[in-house]
Amino acid sequence: MTETSHDTCTPFPEPAVGEIRLEAVLHALADPVRLRIVSSLAGCADEVNCLAFDVPVAKSTLTHHFRVLREAGVIRQFRRGTSKMNSLRTEDLAARFPGLLDSVVAGHRATGARPT
Amino acid sequence: MTETSHDTCTPFPEPAVGEIRLEAVLHALADPVRLRIVSSLAGCADEVNCLAFDVPVAKSTLTHHFRVLREAGVIRQFRRGTSKMNSLRTEDLAARFPGLLDSVVAGHRATGARPT
């Protein structure tokens, strides 16, 4: 885990690119709520506030899902002021597991975009 | 689940192509033993006998792993005489989730081929 600090943009701990494990990424993605989050983030040019996700689960459950994604290396989370922001680690995942994220997001959009 | 019968080559129940769910495939692949099985099968031109896999787990555990893979739609299992044979559903998965299996197998071979 690496961590850096910045007054207005503090990232939470996350695995370095070379530490991202395939099993952890697949486990993180093997959940309908987390797939929806990842698919939403894949369609955003910028980072997204945690509160912006329209998924029908309790806030504490959503916090858990974001943590699983971050600890697996799928997303980056950081604090900006009082907000917790999220972004996909698109380039890191493409470097570590070429094609994986793209095929998962495309597969989800083609077949799995059902209410959870 | 569809099932057909044949005197010498009886497949076990498996989801039809259109029923294969992304979450189930990702869950099935999110395990080091199952990733090794899939990676081994991806390198075989033909089906492989269950007993041919060199993974350090009990036979009953291996049976469980094969069932998870089959029920998710990742592999096909069938009986040939007294042997249970396995093959990857490569074409079905490529049709349902293009690029997914290739990226997972390549990722496993590049980063995850450790003893389990």
Side-chain angles (χ1 to χ4, degrees):
Chain A
M1 297 277 175
T2 56
E3 192 166 10
T4 57
S5 66
H6 187 285
D7 282 348
T8 58
C9 178
T10 308
F12 288 74
E14 64 184 27
V17 180
E19 293 171 348
I20 298 176
R21 290 173 48 249
L22 181 58
E23 296 92 325
V25 171
L26 294 170
H27 168 74
L29 296 173
D31 176 275
V33 172
R34 294 197 290 268
L35 273 175
R36 275 179 74 168
I37 293 170
V38 167
S39 188
S40 297
L41 285 171
C44 298
D46 295 319
E47 61 271 18
V48 181
N49 190 305
C50 273
L51 299 177
F53 290 88
D54 180 27
V55 284
V57 298
K59 188 183 170 191
S60 61
T61 306
L62 202 54
T63 301
H64 162 76
H65 286 310
F66 278 109
R67 192 176 66 242
V68 171
L69 288 167
R70 173 170 52 82
E71 291 181 349
V74 177
I75 68 168
R76 174 161 293 140
Q77 290 192 291
F78 50 93
R79 202 169 280 290
R80 178 172 291 161
T82 58
S83 298
K84 194 188 269 186
M85 309 298 288
N86 307 275
S87 63
L88 268 186
R89 293 179 65 178
T90 310
E91 290 181 13
D92 290 346
L93 288 168
R96 184 80 168 144
F97 306 116
L100 178 60
L101 188 64
D102 287 345
S103 62
V104 169
V105 170
H108 179 254
R109 289 178 179 168
T111 68
R114 296 185 298 265
T116 52
Chain B
M1 296 276 174
T2 57
E3 190 167 12
T4 59
S5 65
H6 187 286
D7 283 347
T8 58
C9 178
T10 308
F12 288 73
E14 63 184 28
V17 180
E19 293 171 349
I20 298 176
R21 290 173 50 250
L22 181 59
E23 296 93 325
V25 171
L26 294 170
H27 168 74
L29 296 173
D31 176 275
V33 172
R34 295 196 290 268
L35 273 175
R36 275 180 73 169
I37 292 171
V38 168
S39 189
S40 296
L41 285 171
C44 297
D46 295 318
E47 61 271 18
V48 180
N49 189 304
C50 273
L51 300 177
F53 290 89
D54 181 26
V55 285
V57 298
K59 188 183 170 192
S60 61
T61 307
L62 201 54
T63 300
H64 162 75
H65 286 310
F66 278 109
R67 193 176 64 242
V68 171
L69 288 167
R70 173 171 52 81
E71 291 180 349
V74 178
I75 68 168
R76 174 161 295 141
Q77 290 191 291
F78 50 93
R79 203 169 280 290
R80 177 172 290 161
T82 58
S83 298
K84 196 187 270 186
M85 309 298 289
N86 307 275
S87 63
L88 268 186
R89 294 180 66 178
T90 310
E91 290 180 14
D92 291 346
L93 288 168
R96 185 82 167 141
F97 306 117
L100 178 60
L101 188 64
D102 288 345
S103 62
V104 169
V105 170
H108 179 253
R109 289 179 178 167
T111 68
R114 295 185 299 266
T116 51

